[in-house]
Amino acid sequence: MKKAKETADAVPATASIKIKIDGKERAFDIDNPVLPDWIEDNKLTAGGYPYDKKMKSEDYEKELEGLQIELVKAQAWLQATGKRVMALFEGRDAAGKGGTIFVLRQYMNPRTARNVALPKPTPTEAGQWYYQRYVDHFPASGEFVTFDRSWYNRAGVEPVMGFCTPEQHERFLDETPHFERMICNEGIHFFKFWLNIGRETQLERFHDRRWSPLKNWKFSPIDIAGVSKWDDYTKARDQMIERTHKEFSPWIVVRANDKRRARLAVMQRILLSLPYDGRDLDAVGKPDKKIIGEGPGFLKD
């Protein structure tokens, strides 16, 4: 506990904040090492999550290995055919984007399986066409590219935190489907994943980051600044998915309170969409329709 306390002391203190969940006002103090019961009791089932227990570790590891073997096959097919894959991962802070990308790419050849996680724009990039710095990282022949956040920053964090103007936000929502149609017309296998988590789930993960000597680098003041803007982020998310969910580039929504189920669902979706040689459908398995779906309707189910 001493090491955890020493590490936590290096993180700037934050005031206790008031949160209203299901009509009840709650107090959350991330500087208190004890997680409140109301978070602990609901961290998995928050937001109507359909399971009340995590997937068993042994079941997860078995399915994960089979899917990772299939991903290696798929990468060989990309190399042989020159086909390209691009997958965007979006979601609230602590939704599990980085961990999902890690297991997805874990055994793929890193020379042709790249992850893109861009920092905030430089002054030069800020003066470019908005999509330009992302296009620079698009897949070449035979490549598999993931984006840990993408141009959809302009549909979420930027308008909510005041980093873009309302006019820029509206123009983005209007232009992005046209931009993505060009990606699909180019023949790139294009995926957009939204990892959806409940509110107590997010708070538990923030708390874990704050007090973990291994994860505290993930914690930032903007995380806490966003806690009180949950409803604003929800509104922005709903508008984004409503305006940019298209048949040619659908939003794939994954209920991600249980990271294990979410990771498997993402991998299955990609593998079922790629016509690679030697695909083993028994190893890929069938999608869990309680966990993965498409578009605004799945968010409301």
Side-chain angles (χ1 to χ4, degrees), residues 188-206:
I188 295 173
H189 293 273
F190 183 50
F191 301 89
K192 301 189 302 190
F193 291 102
W194 176 267
L195 303 187
N196 204 56
I197 57 172
R199 196 164 194 185
E200 291 94 334
T201 310
Q202 185 188 55
L203 293 173
E204 187 274 335
R205 292 180 184 177
F206 281 164

Side-chain angles (χ1 to χ4, degrees), residues 149-219:
R149 295 194 181 277
S150 67
W151 47 92
Y152 279 101
N153 281 334
R154 179 140 294 179
V157 65
E158 288 191 19
V160 171
M161 301 303 291
F163 298 155
C164 71
T165 66
E167 292 76 18
Q168 288 173 322
H169 180 213
E170 175 60 29
R171 185 163 65 249
F172 173 86
L173 294 174
D174 182 56
E175 293 178 349
T176 293
H178 302 289
F179 174 64
E180 292 176 354
R181 183 182 286 278
M182 288 190 289
I183 294 172
C184 297
N185 287 348
E186 177 62 17
I188 295 173
H189 293 273
F190 183 50
F191 301 89
K192 301 189 302 190
F193 291 102
W194 176 267
L195 303 187
N196 204 56
I197 57 172
R199 196 164 194 185
E200 291 94 334
T201 310
Q202 185 188 55
L203 293 173
E204 187 274 335
R205 292 180 184 177
F206 281 164
H207 189 269
D208 181 49
R209 290 179 178 184
R210 171 68 170 94
W211 290 96
S212 168
L214 296 175
K215 302 178 185 177
N216 66 77
W217 61 271
K218 293 184 175 183
F219 180 75

Side-chain angles (χ1 to χ4, degrees), residues 93-137:
D93 292 327
K97 299 178 290 294
T100 301
I101 291 169
F102 173 78
V103 297
L104 181 65
R105 298 174 58 250
Q106 189 172 4
Y107 293 103
M108 299 176 78
N109 186 338
R111 293 182 179 178
T112 55
R114 297 184 284 111
N115 184 50
V116 180
L118 299 182
K120 70 177 185 179
T122 65
T124 299
E125 290 170 335
Q128 295 174 343
W129 177 49
Y130 177 72
Y131 304 95
Q132 186 170 337
R133 72 186 190 124
Y134 298 101
V135 173
D136 285 344
H137 299 277

Side-chain angles (χ1 to χ4, degrees), residues 7-252:
T7 306
D9 286 344
V11 181
T14 56
S16 176
I17 57 176
K18 302 292 185 182
I19 303 169
K20 184 170 285 189
I21 299 180
D22 296 330
K24 295 182 179 180
E25 188 173 87
R26 305 284 195 177
F28 178 60
D29 182 1
I30 202 163
D31 291 326
N32 185 338
V34 179
L35 188 68
D37 288 343
W38 60 271
I39 296 179
E40 182 66 41
D41 294 343
N42 295 289
K43 64 184 182 182
L44 183 61
T45 57
Y49 190 73
Y51 293 100
D52 58 9
K53 291 182 180 179
K54 287 184 178 181
M55 185 178 193
K56 291 182 179 179
S57 177
E58 56 268 31
D59 293 338
Y60 168 69
E61 294 294 340
K62 182 179 179 180
E63 289 192 36
L64 177 63
E65 182 179 14
L67 291 170
Q68 289 176 326
I69 290 171
E70 292 300 305
L71 284 164
V72 172
K73 292 182 190 177
Q75 187 179 28
W77 171 76
L78 292 175
Q79 288 287 282
T81 62
K83 299 295 184 181
R84 295 162 288 174
V85 171
M86 182 162 61
L88 314 185
F89 288 84
E90 297 289 344
R92 299 180 193 266
D93 292 327
K97 299 178 290 294
T100 301
I101 291 169
F102 173 78
V103 297
L104 181 65
R105 298 174 58 250
Q106 189 172 4
Y107 293 103
M108 299 176 78
N109 186 338
R111 293 182 179 178
T112 55
R114 297 184 284 111
N115 184 50
V116 180
L118 299 182
K120 70 177 185 179
T122 65
T124 299
E125 290 170 335
Q128 295 174 343
W129 177 49
Y130 177 72
Y131 304 95
Q132 186 170 337
R133 72 186 190 124
Y134 298 101
V135 173
D136 285 344
H137 299 277
F138 277 19
S141 176
E143 284 193 323
F144 186 108
V145 176
T146 53
F147 279 80
D148 187 346
R149 295 194 181 277
S150 67
W151 47 92
Y152 279 101
N153 281 334
R154 179 140 294 179
V157 65
E158 288 191 19
V160 171
M161 301 303 291
F163 298 155
C164 71
T165 66
E167 292 76 18
Q168 288 173 322
H169 180 213
E170 175 60 29
R171 185 163 65 249
F172 173 86
L173 294 174
D174 182 56
E175 293 178 349
T176 293
H178 302 289
F179 174 64
E180 292 176 354
R181 183 182 286 278
M182 288 190 289
I183 294 172
C184 297
N185 287 348
E186 177 62 17
I188 295 173
H189 293 273
F190 183 50
F191 301 89
K192 301 189 302 190
F193 291 102
W194 176 267
L195 303 187
N196 204 56
I197 57 172
R199 196 164 194 185
E200 291 94 334
T201 310
Q202 185 188 55
L203 293 173
E204 187 274 335
R205 292 180 184 177
F206 281 164
H207 189 269
D208 181 49
R209 290 179 178 184
R210 171 68 170 94
W211 290 96
S212 168
L214 296 175
K215 302 178 185 177
N216 66 77
W217 61 271
K218 293 184 175 183
F219 180 75
S220 70
I222 200 168
D223 290 335
I224 292 303
V227 167
S228 60
K229 295 182 178 291
W230 177 273
D231 291 338
D232 294 330
Y233 274 110
T234 299
K235 181 179 177 181
R237 176 204 67 188
D238 291 349
Q239 186 178 24
M240 174 190 79
I241 291 181
E242 183 71 38
R243 296 277 296 275
T244 62
H245 174 69
K246 303 296 179 182
E247 183 177 355
F248 56 85
S249 61
W251 273 107
I252 305 160

